[in-house]
Amino acid sequence: MPVGFIGLGVMGQPMALNLARAGTKLVVWNRTPGRCAPLREAGAEVAESAAEVFRKARIIILMMANSAATDEVLGRGTPAFAENVSQRIIVSTGTNSPEYSKGLDTAIREAGGCYVEAPVSGSRKPAEAGRLVGMLAGNEAVEGIRVLLAPVCHETVSCGPVPNALLMKLSVNIFLITLVTGLAEAFHFAEQHRLDLVKLVSILNAGQMASDISRVKLGKLAAGDFDIQASISDVLKNNQLIAEAARRSGVASPLLDVCHALYAETEALGHGGSDMAAVLRAIEQRTSEI
């Protein structure tokens, strides 16, 4: 049977393409049909509906924007849900709240299916290169999914039971968000002091703090290029998920809370569809108000 893949957005499309190019037989569906064209060219079957994917595949990978979209394609809350998930392995690679994921795990198991949490760390370029890092949680199906995701993730880590993979992803995202926000603030500070920004980039890229993500985001900041890799709105959603998880567990998140405010301000300025490096715009706005 083919593997199903639903959700061909910024991350989902390159992930599915890497599977197809590695020889995985796929049946795919996306709400916006145009996103399916590259998959058809790569040899995947394009389904007419999400329901058709569930009929034709035993393993279905979901890369949905949020929990509401996930519930919609699964038919959760309708009689179709049990039919869609029974005797199937549902692999969710998107980022949702740990509480939601734990409830979904229970619902799928009660309907006779199997659920694997598989959020991934990385943005569009790592997705295109098959260099994502996967965090897996669930039961005995995890090892099989690890093998399946090899063309997508250069490394996968088993995190234990649901929802540990999503809690791990939120932990990783705290570092990512604060790192990129700090980089944007450093760039802004240097720019406001009329320093040579080419030299700033050179120094940071040559130093011990340099990383793949810092090099990419510094290049975008220097060029004023905010073409989307991970959008402001998506990062804001992740901020919200982390903040909610921290509050529920009584964990302090002081750096994350500052970033939360900055990404909300950036979205309010009209940059929700820009890359997360555009958090620079909120920092600039704060400077203009001093």
Side-chain angles (χ1 to χ4, degrees):
M1 297 181 74
V3 171
F5 201 112
I6 298 175
L8 303 174
V10 171
M11 295 290 288
Q13 188 189 71
M15 289 168 66
L17 279 169
N18 282 330
L19 286 169
R21 290 166 179 165
T24 304
K25 186 178 180 181
L26 288 182
V27 54
V28 305
W29 181 81
N30 190 69
R31 183 178 288 107
T32 305
R35 300 288 297 177
C36 298
L39 271 301
R40 181 182 283 108
E41 293 172 6
E45 178 185 355
V46 177
E48 293 295 324
S49 65
E52 183 181 347
V53 175
F54 289 108
R55 288 197 303 271
K56 292 184 174 180
R58 177 175 171 270
I59 300 173
I60 298 94
I61 300 171
L62 308 179
M63 178 44 107
M64 310 307 298
N66 51 46
S67 57
T70 302
D71 283 346
E72 183 179 347
V73 298
L74 289 172
R76 196 173 178 192
T78 75
F81 177 74
E83 182 179 348
N84 287 337
V85 305
S86 179
Q87 304 302 310
R88 290 169 177 81
I89 300 172
I90 307 299
V91 183
S92 178
T93 62
T95 305
N96 294 302
S97 77
E99 287 71 24
Y100 166 81
S101 189
K102 191 171 183 178
L104 182 60
D105 177 40
T106 299
I108 289 174
R109 284 190 289 105
E110 289 177 348
C114 178
Y115 175 68
V116 175
E117 261 185 359
V120 293
S121 180
S123 56
R124 186 181 66 189
K125 284 192 174 182
E128 291 171 346
R131 299 291 293 175
L132 297 171
V133 178
M135 289 148 278
L136 307 179
N139 59 16
E140 67 280 355
V142 162
E143 288 307 312
I145 299 306
R146 183 200 298 275
V147 175
L148 174 64
L149 293 179
V152 174
C153 301
H154 77 102
E155 186 166 346
T156 51
V157 179
S158 295
C159 300
V162 174
N164 281 5
L166 276 166
L167 286 168
M168 189 70 77
K169 171 68 185 292
L170 297 184
S171 301
V172 170
N173 278 0
I174 292 174
F175 182 44
L176 169 65
I177 293 167
T178 55
L179 171 68
V180 173
T181 307
L183 196 63
E185 185 170 326
F187 186 89
H188 177 66
F189 181 88
E191 187 175 42
Q192 291 298 301
H193 284 85
R194 296 180 174 82
L195 300 181
D196 187 325
L197 298 178
V198 173
K199 291 181 179 179
L200 172 69
V201 171
S202 177
I203 292 165
L204 289 174
N205 283 344
Q208 64 180 354
M209 297 177 293
S211 64
D212 289 346
I213 190 70
S214 72
R215 291 187 181 97
V216 169
K217 299 307 181 187
L218 264 177
K220 295 180 81 64
L221 288 165
D225 167 26
F226 299 124
D227 184 44
I228 184 174
Q229 292 178 346
S231 75
I232 289 290
S233 292
D234 188 52
V235 173
L236 180 58
K237 182 198 83 169
N238 278 268
N239 256 293
Q240 183 67 35
L241 291 174
I242 299 165
E244 290 172 354
R247 298 298 87 80
R248 276 191 293 266
S249 55
V251 174
S253 55
L255 293 177
L256 190 281
D257 294 343
V258 171
C259 294
H260 195 175
L262 286 168
Y263 282 89
E265 291 166 23
T266 309
E267 185 178 64
L269 289 169
H271 303 290
S274 299
D275 186 75
M276 67 184 297
V279 70
L280 175 68
R281 298 307 185 214
I283 299 170
E284 291 172 338
Q285 180 66 25
R286 289 198 184 192
T287 291
S288 72
E289 294 170 354
I290 294 175

